[in-house]
Amino acid sequence: MKDKPDPRHNLPKRRLTETRRIETPDGHTIHLSVGYDPNEHGRPREVFYSAGFKSGSALEFQIQDACVLISILLQHGHRPDEIAKSLARTERPDGAIAYASITGLIADELVKAQHSSA
């Protein structure tokens, strides 16, 4: 068992970034900026909240913090699918299974980003 995480992967100041839009189950639209590792094509290494909720609201801060935490995990070597598989899911009224939080939706979007740009 390791006592310390893998070293943080530092990104160059300039790197490919893509803005993506996700819809929440309650109808909100969230814009995220995904930064990719220039040395590993298609591998997300960071995510930033861009827009979608009232500026200064508690929900906006929660999403910003979730993005920071996910980014730290990515920069320490975790892959989006490893993060996403550990997050809570819930059953929708139509019987479909969906992520139970916006954090899960963000992680799922990073999985999609990795697959669409690979």
Side-chain angles (χ1 to χ4, degrees):
M1 185 166 146
K2 295 175 16 177
D3 289 334
K4 294 183 180 181
D6 290 339
R8 187 171 183 174
H9 181 86
N10 293 318
L11 297 169
K13 293 196 184 297
R14 293 196 170 272
R15 58 200 164 271
L16 176 64
T17 302
E18 169 187 40
T19 300
R20 299 179 68 92
R21 189 175 102 178
I22 61 173
E23 302 290 328
T24 67
D26 56 351
H28 285 95
T29 300
I30 300 172
H31 298 270
L32 303 171
S33 295
V34 179
Y36 293 92
D37 189 323
N39 298 319
E40 291 185 58
H41 179 72
R43 183 171 181 176
R45 287 287 190 169
E46 63 187 355
V47 61
F48 297 99
Y49 167 80
S50 299
F53 289 99
K54 183 178 177 183
S55 180
S57 69
L59 190 52
E60 181 186 55
F61 292 130
Q62 288 175 353
I63 295 169
Q64 288 173 348
D65 287 349
C67 288
V68 168
L69 293 172
I70 291 170
S71 295
I72 290 170
L73 289 170
L74 294 170
Q75 291 169 22
H76 280 280
H78 296 277
R79 296 199 178 263
D81 56 331
E82 294 171 346
I83 299 167
K85 75 178 181 183
S86 299
L87 299 175
R89 291 175 178 77
T90 188
E91 186 174 349
R92 291 185 183 169
D94 65 1
I97 301 298
Y99 285 96
S101 70
I102 293 175
T103 303
L105 293 174
I106 293 168
D108 186 53
E109 190 62 28
L110 293 174
V111 171
K112 292 174 186 172
Q114 183 170 347
H115 292 277
S116 70
S117 63

